[in-house]
Amino acid sequence: MSNLHQIGKNISKAVTALLLVAVVSGCSATFRNHGYMPPNEDVDLIVVGKDTRETVAAAIGKPGTAGLLVDSGYYYVRSRFKHYLYNAPQEIDREVLAVSFTEKGVVENIERFGLEDGRVVVLERRVTDSNIKGVGFLRQLFGSIGRIDVAEQLTGR
């Protein structure tokens, strides 16, 4: 009986240790990186007033984000987020490289921005309005009953 009792104690200790590790790991933060930032050595090779869109794309790659206006600029964005188990992700670092071009496609300016330079920008959400404004669910449901042609549905014509 003593040997069986000792095995039970060892299993109990192992389960307790596993639970403790699970609880502690659940409270620790995880980090996620998003985006792409070209290396400084590659960005330093770009010459303002000489390089073009094509040479920039060849030197540091095409960006994931371009300007809203056609041919306005290249934007490289890298962010680092801290996640806890039940909390919303928190952005702890952001870097933006903005390469602007002239109308002829020549590099006009190169700027870097960090999280401390950032502003919260509220994006406009464009949603197409539906034509069913003021019509309830039941009215929509029962309103389509007379419009269904059963014969057409059965014959496929």
Side-chain angles (χ1 to χ4, degrees):
M1 201 51 121
S2 163
N3 195 15
L4 190 57
H5 183 66
Q6 186 63 31
I7 291 173
K9 274 185 160 182
N10 289 341
I11 291 175
S12 175
K13 287 181 183 178
V15 169
T16 303
L18 284 174
L19 285 174
L20 184 62
V21 168
V23 167
V24 170
S25 66
C27 295
S28 62
T30 57
F31 296 92
R32 296 183 72 189
N33 296 316
H34 298 273
Y36 166 71
M37 183 59 58
N40 290 335
E41 301 82 33
D42 294 345
V43 175
D44 292 341
L45 298 176
I46 298 172
V47 178
V48 175
K50 182 179 178 187
D51 280 307
T52 63
R53 287 181 186 282
E54 293 76 26
T55 59
V56 170
I60 60 177
K62 271 208 158 223
T65 307
L68 296 174
L69 303 174
V70 177
D71 301 333
S72 67
Y74 285 171
Y75 302 96
Y76 301 87
V77 182
R78 182 192 52 81
S79 296
R80 184 168 172 84
F81 290 87
K82 185 181 202 178
H83 294 266
Y84 283 105
L85 187 60
Y86 293 108
N87 293 337
Q90 176 186 9
E91 187 175 20
I92 58 172
D93 186 30
R94 180 190 324 136
E95 188 176 356
V96 177
L97 174 68
V99 181
S100 56
F101 299 95
T102 64
E103 291 178 8
K104 294 182 179 181
V106 178
V107 175
E108 183 176 43
N109 197 9
I110 301 172
E111 296 177 285
R112 285 190 184 272
F113 302 99
L115 185 61
E116 63 279 353
D117 300 322
R119 301 187 301 247
V120 175
V121 177
V122 178
L123 298 177
E124 180 179 341
R125 186 171 178 211
R126 296 177 187 233
V127 179
T128 304
D129 290 333
S130 66
N131 292 331
I132 58 172
K133 203 174 220 177
V135 179
F137 172 73
L138 292 177
R139 189 172 204 171
Q140 291 176 42
L141 182 66
F142 292 121
S144 63
I145 289 177
R147 288 185 261 160
I148 298 174
D149 187 358
V150 178
E152 182 182 311
Q153 296 297 322
L154 293 175
T155 61
R157 294 181 188 168

